[in-house]
Amino acid sequence: MDEIGEDLDLTETQFDRARQSYGAVGDWLSGSTDPLLVSVIVYLHGSSALGTAVKPIGCREFDVDLICFCAGIASGISPAVLKAAVGNLSTAE
């Protein structure tokens, strides 16, 4: 049972790779000159954050849930405006 459980767990390498990837996305977003994005913080959420993520049966990849916290944004900003800011950043490169 222990071996089966270990096979379902994220390895340290997989967890580090995920952390580097979502950290890079957060850095890219917060490196924008758009005032809506400069305070973005991306962090783990859900089973990955709790250390209980398991590999889906028959898959080699894991589902990693993230939060993209946009500090300092007024509550009146619509999700569409924020989505457009991210979309504009991705097409500006």
Side-chain angles (χ1 to χ4, degrees):
M1 290 302 275
D2 286 340
E3 288 180 30
I4 292 170
E6 287 177 14
D7 188 46
L8 294 174
D9 285 342
L10 281 167
T11 66
E12 191 64 35
T13 300
Q14 290 169 316
F15 188 78
D16 287 343
R17 195 171 342 152
R19 184 182 357 218
Q20 290 171 358
S21 295
Y22 74 75
V25 171
D27 292 345
W28 174 70
L29 289 169
S30 64
S32 168
T33 57
D34 190 313
L36 292 176
L37 303 176
V38 296
S39 298
V40 163
I41 301 167
V42 177
Y43 58 92
L44 283 175
H45 177 71
S47 60
S48 297
L50 295 172
T52 59
V54 294
K55 180 170 47 177
I57 295 173
C59 296
R60 292 180 7 178
E61 297 180 357
F62 288 83
D63 177 34
V64 177
D65 298 316
L66 303 173
I67 298 276
C68 180
F69 178 67
C70 302
I73 293 180
S75 62
I77 298 292
S78 75
V81 169
L82 185 57
K83 182 178 183 234
V86 173
N88 291 339
L89 178 61
S90 66
T91 60
E93 296 182 0

